[in-house]
Amino acid sequence: MSRSWLCKLLLSFLLFFFCDAVRYEPAMVPIDRRQENTSLALSSKWELLGPFQIGTREATWGADPLEYLGGFRQLQYDQNAQFRSSLPVNGTAKWSIIDATQTSSTATSANASLSVSYTNVDWDFLKIVYGWAAVQYQAWARGEITVTGYKTQSVILYTDAILEYWIDDAHYFGGDFYTYRKAPPVLHLTPGTHKIDLRLVRDVRAFGGILKPTIDVILDIQAASGTLELAKPGILISDVVGGKLASPIASITLRNSGKDDIQIVGIQPAEVRPPLSLQRLDPQVVLAQVPRVLTSCQTDNASPSKASNVVLVAGQTRPVAFNVSLPAYNISSVHYVITYKSINADNKISRLEVSQNLTEQSIYKPHKITYLHPGGMVSYAMLRPPAKNTSCPSGQRLLPVLLGLHGAGLEADNGIVAHALDPVPDLCSWVMFPTGVTPWSGDDWHNWGFTDVEAAVNSIPFWIEHVGWQGPGVDVNRWIVTGHSNGGQGSWYALTHRPDRIVAAAPLSGYASIQKYVPYELWQPMDPRRTAIVSGSLNSYRHEMLMDNAKGIPVLQQHGEIDDNVPAYNSRLLSQLLFQAGTSSSFYDVPRQNHWWDTVMTTPQLVDFYYKQTTNNDTIPRKLSEFNFVVGDPGDMGSKGGILVTHLEDPGQYGKVDVKGRVIKTSNVLSLELEPRLWQRETVIVDGQELELAESLSIYKADGSWEPGNDVSYRRGRQLGAMTAILRTRGPFIVRHQGNQTAHVALQVSRNLHQYFSADSVVVYEASWGDSTSGTGNVISVAIGEAPPSLRPDFPVQVGPAGVSVRDSRGRLHELNEGARLGAAFLRPLEDERLELVLWGSDELGLSLAARLAPMLTGVGQPDFVVLGESARWRGVEGAVALGFFDHEWAMTPSSVVH
Ligand SMILES: *[C@@H]1O[C@H](CO)[C@@H](O)[C@H](O)[C@H]1NC(C)=O
Ligand SMILES: *[C@@H]1O[C@H](CO)[C@@H](O)[C@H](O)[C@H]1NC(C)=O
Ligand SMILES: *[C@@H]1O[C@H](CO)[C@@H](O)[C@H](O)[C@H]1NC(C)=O
Ligand SMILES: *[C@@H]1O[C@H](CO)[C@@H](O)[C@H](O)[C@H]1NC(C)=O
Ligand SMILES: *[C@@H]1O[C@H](CO)[C@@H](O)[C@H](O)[C@H]1NC(C)=O
Ligand SMILES: *[C@@H]1O[C@H](CO)[C@@H](O)[C@H](O)[C@H]1NC(C)=O
Ligand SMILES: *[C@@H]1O[C@H](CO)[C@@H](O)[C@H](O)[C@H]1NC(C)=O
Ligand SMILES: *[C@@H]1O[C@H](CO)[C@@H](O)[C@H](O)[C@H]1NC(C)=O
């Protein structure tokens, strides 16, 4: 979960562990700067202005009071200036100067750590009234980057725990809120000083709620090669089991730190270290088997790969997948050469080398496997196959999967995660620890992160075949799910969204929803209809609303009684709601325990639970005679009791289904699909209407009456849900834009997708909007003025040089162009269930406001469409001139708000 002091300790321990385990080769390109007497430095004194109020995850919407005054970037330090602010004594915020807690400067790097705190706010009293919401606030800090020497320096800038900043006159949104350090921007800094303005935003989930409310951030500049380089050292590769790689797919992450676009020509194996077992043999034997260097013209069965189509635009970071196989048994490391060329310059081919030591693991121990995430990049999970001596009940041939979902800030390959179930080595199941793609599981195990879980589970049969596994098989549709903290919340998500696949669930120390974790109290004031839209966009992630979905599923709950990170209230609330939904969990409120303790995953009750539920022989999906269930977003939701809701009438409102035998009652549901195994040949009564299910197991509501069939809609499957539906891409995202006015924002979108989701994206420049939508991935179009044409000409949101026009649910047209600077972010359909997210601005400012809304952090609550007026900069959601949802025909719903 969030990094309390405890998690911070754990994290530093783990980072130490991790960094020690993976050391890399230096970059290929020599960086000899000493001769030039160059150096990099960051200010040791910073000008600070704050504090100001901010709501939980509100910063994405703007809501910065200094924007009312033209923005921090327009203000100069003035000791006497006073700024109205709701938090400090006297209602005024002032400038101050702070010293960086630490700075460092060398020829090729510079860093500064800032620790910001305010004593002119009565935090303790505010907390009594507004809870943890009160210790989230925002402020701005200004400093300088100094480049000495006479040459422009190419650098990367890490911005740990920072969400937004300006460098000179360039705006950057995204930063690195969770300190992943995956996709820093590349800057080409001329000699002299460069202004850097930091928007500091405190977030309880990331910074903790209990200790003094400081904002601690780090800036770290490092010289870059000015060409292709490894964004992350080493290769993401599976472990070796039985002398062979557990999975045949690997990945490297590359960054183009130059000014020209770069194309990858190929990725080939380089020299191979002699196998350990062959080291004493004649080296000629080894070399004869394994050529030391393969050039790109030599044919080799391990590569050339599709990697040869990959283009990295200047400043871009991309993960690149390639197929691997070990050239010999028992080798200890792999070495690859990436060949590449600059697109604009000559055809000169350059090389970049990458190496990775391999980890050999017993096939029965948790080991790393790799597979493709549907987003087109490689992900990994830790897999523990069933033990040799597992004594499963006779007749149990296909074993279930026990999933362990990690907490926030942890990698799945850390021992604390992957070895948490070592004390129960002989379970009658497969045990899997997925990553969800990042330490914060992508989006808290929701859309992107949960897709990763499913891809990981579905890769087990492939692993079985690949390694020639002779043990018991797997039933990929039988899950026992557990997890701690953010992973406890992820377990609730799995339980409520895939009930027909869950044998049993044990959510540990998890939260019910972000809103229950850190209240949304201190957002800028807004019309309750707008609150409803933001909140409705998060419907699918409010587990407290979805407890009905757990009916019939054994649930064990456990929470430390004195947890000061995720309050035990969350588990106690869900326990009460489960009881009221007719499902009693076994609830363990563990005395004297805080958020984490050593055996949190293997308490006596959990050990019993694992043994019992892995041998549970209930038929899945369970046939229930009486149950209800609730659907937030049909795009996220599997079936319950064999009933799948495929569309809601109003997607901004929950849909409900109530089943008693063959009698089904629905509310806000437009179409259903019934699972043949449970419903074939039944006659059902839906909302009082009798229907034969002989020929069709799909039914839909037309003019208030239910009919067989499913020809409901234009918007379906992966297109459903609020703006985060764009994350249901198949293949890399396509980020397209019109030219150099939009290139900066397009690159940021790409960088944020990689930083926050490890996602891959192709950045495409189109002088006039063309047909780049022909790939398989979802498209993000970045536009100023002229927007790309819509697949549906009558689309209800139209943007263009004349402004924005929207057609409301009653067919009335609203022109929203009154000379205003506008920004818009909205979904549109493409062929084959694909989606387009249009990020549009009437000018650069409008675009930068709209681009902030591209999905990145959880809990922001972007609906299907948002049109922002200029005042959103300080008023947040209230400054949107239109926002809301599209229905199944892509028409605006009545629940939407226009002006
Ligand atoms: C890889 O292994 C070799 C030999 O064991 C060792 O010297 C080297 O430091 C390792 N490299 C990394 C990056 O761990
Ligand atoms: C670098 O600094 C040294 C000593 O300060 C000086 O002698 C030398 O001329 C400088 N070189 C350049 C290229 O400025
Ligand atoms: C509050 O405002 C008054 C009047 O402007 C001023 O005299 C006083 O010093 C202020 N107090 C603080 C703590 O800023
Ligand atoms: C800053 O850089 C110095 C020198 O490279 C390094 O020792 C130190 O750990 C860095 N500090 C941070 C906070 O990154
Ligand atoms: C890896 O190999 C498989 C099958 O040989 C092929 O379908 C796939 O495209 C290859 N992937 C890459 C990234 O080269
Ligand atoms: C690989 O190493 C294992 C022991 O570590 C050994 O049993 C096996 O024979 C080796 N395989 C080959 C092909 O060298
Ligand atoms: C399921 O397990 C129970 C004991 O837990 C046993 O009595 C029953 O026969 C089993 N049913 C099947 C179909 O294996
Ligand atoms: C944008 O592109 C045009 C034409 O390609 C070029 O003339 C102009 O200098 C570019 N502007 C910037 C800011 O790069």
Side-chain angles (χ1 to χ4, degrees):
M1 187 72 34
S2 77
R3 285 175 292 152
S4 67
W5 60 272
L6 177 69
C7 291
K8 274 189 179 159
L9 271 180
L10 282 172
L11 199 64
S12 44
F13 165 73
L14 292 169
L15 280 174
F16 171 77
F17 196 80
F18 184 70
C19 298
D20 202 46
V22 188
R23 226 172 292 121
Y24 347 102
E25 318 271 316
M28 271 284 289
V29 182
I31 303 171
D32 190 1
R33 279 150 212 271
R34 249 163 306 170
Q35 287 175 332
E36 295 164 11
N37 287 356
T38 60
S39 76
L40 295 166
L42 281 160
S43 316
S44 56
K45 295 216 178 294
W46 291 73
E47 296 168 356
L48 188 67
L49 177 54
F52 300 98
Q53 163 182 343
I54 191 76
T56 304
R57 301 290 160 96
E58 189 191 19
T60 301
W61 290 93
D64 173 2
L66 292 178
E67 289 293 323
Y68 180 75
L69 304 169
F72 179 74
R73 61 200 170 279
Q74 310 289 349
L75 302 170
Q76 297 306 320
Y77 178 81
D78 174 357
Q79 205 180 337
N80 300 316
Q82 299 201 345
F83 300 84
R84 302 283 171 131
S85 169
S86 56
L87 297 179
V89 175
N90 257 4
T92 48
K94 291 181 186 160
W95 286 94
S96 59
I97 305 274
I98 58 160
D99 289 316
T101 50
Q102 174 266 333
T103 55
S104 154
S105 167
T106 72
T108 58
S109 71
N111 62 29
S113 310
L114 304 185
S115 184
V116 170
S117 62
Y118 284 97
T119 52
N120 59 343
V121 180
D122 190 344
W123 298 115
D124 289 338
F125 181 68
L126 283 176
K127 251 201 280 193
I128 291 174
V129 183
Y130 303 106
W132 276 351
V135 288
Q136 302 184 129
Y137 60 91
Q138 57 184 331
W140 281 89
R142 176 171 298 149
E144 276 172 356
I145 305 173
T146 306
V147 177
T148 47
Y150 57 87
K151 273 179 76 176
T152 295
Q153 295 247 30
S154 298
V155 300
I156 51 170
L157 173 65
Y158 292 113
T159 55
D160 300 356
I162 298 168
L163 191 60
E164 187 166 13
Y165 51 94
W166 291 74
I167 295 173
D168 296 328
D169 294 316
H171 177 232
Y172 291 81
F173 183 75
D176 191 2
F177 210 45
Y178 302 131
T179 312
Y180 292 143
R181 294 197 163 206
K182 285 199 302 213
V186 173
L187 309 172
H188 304 286
L189 298 176
T190 51
T193 59
H194 299 269
K195 184 171 85 160
I196 174 161
D197 287 351
L198 306 174
R199 185 184 186 191
L200 306 172
V201 178
R202 195 167 191 284
D203 179 88
V204 163
R205 285 191 60 202
F207 292 68
I210 290 300
L211 303 177
K212 201 173 139 209
T214 59
I215 300 179
D216 297 288
V217 304
I218 295 174
L219 289 172
D220 188 353
I221 300 181
Q222 292 179 11
S225 65
T227 179
L228 192 72
E229 58 196 18
L230 295 173
K232 185 180 196 296
I235 302 175
L236 171 58
I237 195 166
S238 73
D239 286 345
V240 174
V241 291
K244 229 180 119 175
L245 283 173
S247 330
I249 188 147
S251 170
I252 44 178
T253 309
L254 298 172
R255 173 173 54 235
N256 177 355
S257 67
K259 290 179 177 170
D260 290 328
D261 297 354
I262 284 174
Q263 182 181 4
I264 309 298
V265 175
I267 300 177
Q268 293 88 24
E271 44 131 10
V272 176
R273 254 171 231 176
L276 292 174
S277 53
L278 296 179
Q279 259 164 7
R280 263 163 275 117
L281 301 181
D282 178 356
Q284 290 310 314
V285 176
V286 181
L287 292 178
Q289 289 172 348
V290 192
R292 286 191 72 81
V293 176
L294 296 174
T295 61
S296 55
C297 51
Q298 280 177 282
T299 53
D300 166 50
N301 55 10
S303 261
S305 69
K306 288 194 180 144
S308 57
N309 295 324
V310 171
V311 171
L312 290 92
V313 300
Q316 195 184 6
T317 301
R318 289 189 70 178
V320 182
F322 58 102
N323 285 328
V324 282
S325 63
L326 300 184
Y329 269 91
N330 292 352
I331 62 167
S332 59
S333 59
V334 288
H335 306 263
Y336 275 80
V337 175
I338 301 128
T339 44
Y340 64 95
K341 63 180 185 190
S342 166
I343 285 194
N344 301 329
D346 46 20
N347 265 343
K348 187 172 152 275
I349 306 272
S350 307
R351 295 156 49 92
L352 176 67
E353 289 185 14
V354 56
S355 303
Q356 180 66 50
N357 283 351
L358 297 170
T359 305
E360 172 115 43
Q361 196 51 275
S362 152
I363 200 164
Y364 295 105
K365 292 264 166 60
H367 61 268
K368 186 177 283 183
I369 62 165
T370 53
Y371 51 88
L372 272 186
H373 182 283
M377 78 294 172
V378 176
S379 179
Y380 81 90
M382 302 303 284
L383 176 69
R384 187 180 91 186
K388 235 178 211 162
N389 57 354
T390 303
S391 55
C392 296
S394 58
Q396 197 175 0
R397 280 206 312 275
L398 295 182
L399 306 190
V401 183
L402 170 59
L403 285 166
L405 308 183
H406 65 78
L410 293 172
E411 277 289 347
D413 63 358
N414 278 314
I416 205 169
V417 176
H419 293 288
L421 295 183
D422 284 5
V424 283
D426 54 349
L427 294 174
C428 189
S429 72
W430 296 77
V431 176
M432 178 171 260
F433 303 96
T435 58
V437 183
T438 71
W440 286 67
S441 11
D443 49 359
D444 296 332
W445 303 109
H446 292 164
N447 182 325
W448 187 257
F450 198 74
T451 301
D452 184 62
V453 175
E454 294 190 310
V457 171
N458 291 333
S459 77
I460 299 175
F462 180 77
W463 176 94
I464 290 177
E465 196 182 312
H466 182 73
V467 304
W469 171 255
Q470 297 298 318
V474 62
D475 184 345
V476 294
N477 291 314
R478 274 185 92 83
W479 296 9
I480 296 101
V481 61
T482 185
H484 176 259
S485 193
N486 206 20
Q489 180 273 141
S491 309
W492 288 118
Y493 184 87
L495 173 65
T496 51
H497 293 72
R498 294 292 182 277
D500 275 355
R501 216 181 271 170
I502 307 292
V503 176
L508 317 175
S509 314
Y511 57 93
S513 59
I514 300 183
Q515 297 98 313
K516 281 273 167 278
Y517 189 176
V518 187
Y520 278 40
E521 175 57 41
L522 292 174
W523 282 49
Q524 289 300 306
M526 67 179 106
D527 185 300
R529 287 272 302 277
R530 293 165 185 264
T531 315
I533 289 169
V534 170
S535 186
S537 306
L538 301 171
N539 273 353
S540 195
Y541 316 126
R542 293 179 62 202
H543 305 313
E544 65 272 21
M545 291 299 293
L546 305 173
M547 285 299 108
D548 282 351
N549 302 4
K551 181 84 182 272
I553 302 172
V555 178
L556 184 149
Q557 290 185 263
Q558 177 183 289
H559 211 124
E561 182 192 312
I562 55 165
D563 192 333
D564 62 8
N565 180 335
V566 178
Y569 162 75
N570 286 269
S571 287
R572 293 171 192 162
L573 169 67
L574 295 181
S575 148
Q576 179 187 334
L577 294 173
L578 271 177
F579 170 74
Q580 290 170 0
T583 296
S584 258
S585 63
S586 342
F587 181 72
Y588 296 87
D589 210 315
V590 185
R592 292 177 304 283
Q593 293 295 2
N594 203 317
H595 190 53
W596 169 268
W597 64 97
D598 277 348
T599 55
V600 67
M601 301 286 296
T602 47
T603 55
Q605 58 267 17
L606 276 169
V607 168
D608 283 352
F609 174 88
Y610 300 139
Y611 282 107
K612 182 163 173 218
Q613 297 305 338
T614 50
T615 56
N616 180 325
N617 61 9
D618 286 1
T619 303
I620 299 288
R622 292 180 171 93
K623 187 161 174 67
L624 302 167
S625 56
E626 250 189 75
F627 62 101
N628 308 319
F629 67 101
V630 183
V631 179
D633 168 7
D636 278 347
M637 180 68 190
S639 65
K640 170 72 184 174
I643 302 180
L644 184 72
V645 170
T646 48
H647 286 93
L648 298 177
E649 287 182 312
D650 183 341
Q653 187 188 328
Y654 287 103
K656 296 190 177 172
V657 179
D658 179 307
V659 184
K660 287 195 176 63
R662 293 180 304 111
V663 180
I664 299 173
K665 289 196 179 126
T666 71
S667 150
N668 192 36
V669 171
L670 194 65
S671 60
L672 296 173
E673 245 172 63
L674 298 147
E675 154 80 41
R677 278 176 292 176
L678 299 185
W679 292 94
Q680 196 114 51
R681 287 183 300 277
E682 292 271 13
T683 301
V684 292
I685 298 158
V686 184
D687 296 331
Q689 203 182 324
E690 193 164 294
L691 290 164
E692 277 291 345
L693 293 181
E695 74 272 26
S696 172
L697 287 165
S698 299
I699 56 173
Y700 72 105
K701 200 154 58 177
D703 301 324
S705 94
W706 286 91
E707 320 243 345
N710 62 2
D711 66 345
V712 195
S713 73
Y714 308 103
R715 185 183 187 184
R716 56 176 70 239
R718 296 190 283 123
Q719 296 175 329
L720 299 168
M723 206 175 286
T724 50
I726 195 72
L727 298 177
R728 291 198 205 97
T729 185
R730 294 288 175 267
F733 291 97
I734 299 163
V735 181
R736 58 172 177 164
H737 72 99
Q738 295 161 300
N740 52 14
Q741 215 191 349
T742 43
H744 177 70
V745 170
L747 185 59
Q748 281 196 73
V749 169
S750 163
R751 219 183 38 242
N752 289 337
L753 287 169
H754 186 66
Q755 184 90 280
Y756 289 91
F757 302 118
S758 299
D760 187 20
S761 57
V762 182
V763 177
V764 190
Y765 155 72
E766 289 177 359
S768 58
W769 294 115
D771 192 26
S772 69
T773 60
S774 56
T776 62
N778 284 345
V779 174
I780 300 178
S781 300
V782 178
I784 292 175
E786 199 70 54
S790 170
L791 193 68
R792 296 170 60 86
D794 57 342
F795 201 73
V797 175
Q798 300 281 343
V799 294
V804 180
S805 72
V806 300
R807 199 176 56 250
D808 70 18
S809 62
R810 285 187 271 170
R812 286 180 312 194
L813 209 60
H814 303 254
E815 302 288 343
L816 307 170
N817 54 359
E818 305 132 24
R821 304 169 93 178
L822 297 173
F826 56 99
L827 296 175
R828 287 197 309 206
L830 295 175
E831 306 287 1
D832 304 326
E833 275 188 27
R834 292 164 67 213
L835 278 176
E836 177 185 19
L837 172 63
V838 180
L839 302 174
W840 173 91
S842 58
D843 60 0
E844 280 183 50
L845 178 91
L847 175 61
S848 69
L849 301 184
R852 285 200 289 218
L853 291 169
M856 195 178 87
L857 299 180
T858 54
V860 171
Q862 303 94 325
D864 295 1
F865 72 92
V866 180
V867 182
L868 292 172
E870 214 179 333
S871 72
R873 288 159 60 196
W874 59 94
R875 293 160 80 205
V877 181
E878 187 62 22
V881 291
L883 74 169
F885 303 101
F886 299 126
D887 68 10
H888 61 287
E889 294 183 291
W890 290 102
M892 205 171 277
T893 63
S895 57
S896 302
V897 167
V898 179
H899 212 28

